[in-house]
């Protein structure tokens, strides 16, 4: 019997950390300063957002999780990242993951979609957010298509997208934030959106966003600062995931199970795995042993702290 050759896990990229000068600790003096700071931070993040290493998928999924968790207080809910992960991972395909789980699924869908807009892309946005397509919603999407193809500054485009969404639909906070990240990625020509804005924005700031359309308020500066802070957080997360991926690669030669490399590549690409979800590559029992060995080597983490229904990830 011929043994299948092993393939080498792709070495994670290495990017310089975001400089301290681009990490806002206090509010900039005005929109111009805030815009410069955000533009510089997003330009630094551009190399990560455009990188094609598989870990980019994991990075976006973890950012989607963090953004969804940040939105829970806005919705009057208490789910943290662990509860949100459970809501999606422990729900069978086709079953209802609940209101919180749907938010996470919407932000994951954002991170998975191509930034190039297709004719009916807005129908997908409505579907994942559970919104009816009424006249105000059609107006919002018409503005979104115009902005995505426009020539305005990307941050100004995202800020205007939020302002328009909140004007037409004062209760459309989720849609406003979802579209803002989609618009930003389209204008920056990123291959896929990066969930950012919900991490650093407050509901009271969203309520003031429509004033921006009349040339009033500080929404543009607030949005710019939020993107600068979110970019810093996203840069740090990517660096941490790359360090964890290096530990996984160091442990890989010690894993002799058949198809172990395939499972480890999935760990490098996805937020969490169960022993059962790895059964396409190996038996559930073999996958459980593999995860436990990787955990013993410090190459993966068990993410729940439970004795059963355990989830593993970098």
């Amino acid at each position: 019997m011929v043994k299948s050759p092993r393939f080498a896990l792709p070495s994670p990229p290495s990017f310089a950390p975001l400089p301290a000068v681009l990490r806002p600790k206090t509010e900039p003096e005005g929109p111009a300063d805030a815009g410069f700071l955000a533009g510089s931070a997003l330009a630094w993040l551009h190399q990560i957002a455009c990188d094609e290493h598989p870990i980019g998928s994991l990075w976006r999924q973890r950012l989607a999780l963090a953004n969804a968790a940040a939105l829970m207080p806005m919705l009057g809910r208490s789910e943290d990242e662990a509860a949100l992960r459970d809501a999606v991972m422990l729900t069978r395909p086709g079953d209802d993951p609940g209101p919180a789980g749907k938010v996470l699924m919407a932000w994951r869908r954002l991170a998975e979609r191509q930034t190039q807009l297709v004719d009916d892309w807005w129908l997908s946005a409505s579907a994942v957010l559970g919104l009816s397509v009424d006249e105000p919603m059609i107006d919002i999407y018409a503005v979104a298509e115009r902005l995505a193809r426009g020539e305005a500054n990307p941050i100004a485009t995202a800020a205007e997208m939020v302002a328009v969404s909140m004007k037409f639909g004062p209760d459309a906070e989720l849609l406003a934030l979802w579209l803002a990240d989609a618009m930003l990625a389209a204008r920056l020509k990123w291959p896929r959106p990066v969930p950012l804005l919900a991490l650093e924005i407050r509901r009271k700031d969203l309520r003031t966003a429509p004033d921006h359309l009349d040339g009033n308020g500080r929404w543009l500066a607030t949005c710019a600062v939020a993107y600068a802070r979110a970019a810093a957080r996203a840069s740090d997360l990517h660096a941490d995931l790359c360090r964890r991926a290096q530990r996984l690669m160091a442990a890989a030669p010690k894993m002799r199970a058949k198809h172990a490399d395939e499972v480890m590549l999935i760990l490098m690409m996805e937020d969490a795995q169960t022993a059962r979800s790895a059964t396409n590559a190996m038996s559930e029992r073999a996958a459980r042993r593999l995860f436990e060995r990787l955990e013993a080597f410090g190459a993966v983490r068990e993410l729940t702290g439970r004795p059963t229904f355990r989830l593993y990830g970098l």
Side-chain angles (χ1 to χ4, degrees), residues 45-291:
L45 195 67
H46 182 81
Q47 58 186 339
I48 300 176
C50 293
D51 187 71
E52 296 182 355
H53 189 278
I55 206 166
S57 173
L58 169 59
W59 177 60
R60 286 177 170 84
Q61 285 191 22
R62 288 283 170 86
L63 285 172
L65 180 64
N67 275 258
L71 289 168
M72 290 299 105
M74 189 182 297
L75 300 175
R77 304 192 64 87
S78 60
E79 285 88 348
D80 58 10
E81 291 188 9
L84 287 169
R85 183 184 280 122
D86 276 358
V88 172
M89 290 294 299
L90 303 183
T91 301
R92 293 179 298 182
D95 287 353
D96 187 348
K102 287 178 180 177
V103 174
L104 174 55
M105 291 177 69
W107 256 256
R108 280 190 174 183
R109 186 75 60 85
L110 168 70
E112 293 166 357
R113 64 182 298 273
Q114 299 284 339
T115 53
Q116 182 180 2
L117 302 183
V118 295
D119 290 342
D120 61 349
W121 71 275
W122 48 274
L123 289 175
S124 174
S126 295
V128 296
L129 292 169
L131 301 171
S132 59
V133 183
D134 52 15
E135 187 171 346
M137 206 63 66
I138 291 172
D139 291 337
I140 291 172
Y141 292 133
V143 173
E145 295 203 9
R146 173 179 62 80
L147 290 175
R149 295 179 172 88
E151 299 296 330
N153 174 284
I155 300 167
T157 297
E160 184 175 350
M161 188 70 258
V162 173
V164 169
S165 301
M166 293 301 295
K167 179 180 178 180
F168 282 110
D171 296 323
E173 293 100 338
L174 298 190
L175 178 66
L177 295 166
W178 198 96
L179 289 175
D181 285 343
M183 294 301 103
L184 184 82
R187 296 290 296 111
L188 292 172
K189 296 182 171 26
W190 289 350
R192 285 175 176 77
V194 178
L196 292 170
L197 189 56
L199 272 171
E200 296 289 346
I201 214 68
R202 296 171 298 182
R203 190 174 199 177
K204 68 176 185 178
D205 294 325
L206 288 177
R207 295 297 189 185
T208 67
D211 296 340
H212 172 70
L213 301 176
D214 300 322
N216 301 320
R218 286 184 46 83
W219 168 244
L220 179 58
T222 298
C223 186
V225 172
Y227 269 120
R229 289 176 173 154
R233 216 193 269 205
S235 175
D236 292 343
L237 174 63
H238 191 272
D240 179 62
L241 292 174
C242 287
R243 287 190 292 269
R244 294 179 184 277
Q246 289 285 9
R247 289 199 288 271
L248 181 67
M249 291 184 64
K254 304 179 181 72
M255 303 299 119
R256 300 296 184 183
K258 187 177 181 181
H259 303 301
D261 293 324
E262 296 173 31
V263 176
M264 287 186 284
L265 180 60
I266 294 172
L267 285 166
M268 199 179 283
M269 298 173 63
E270 297 188 5
D271 171 50
Q273 288 288 299
T274 66
R276 181 168 295 179
S277 67
T279 53
N280 288 336
M282 57 177 61
S283 71
E284 185 173 345
R285 184 178 178 183
R288 188 178 297 110
R289 286 200 304 268
L290 174 63
F291 290 145

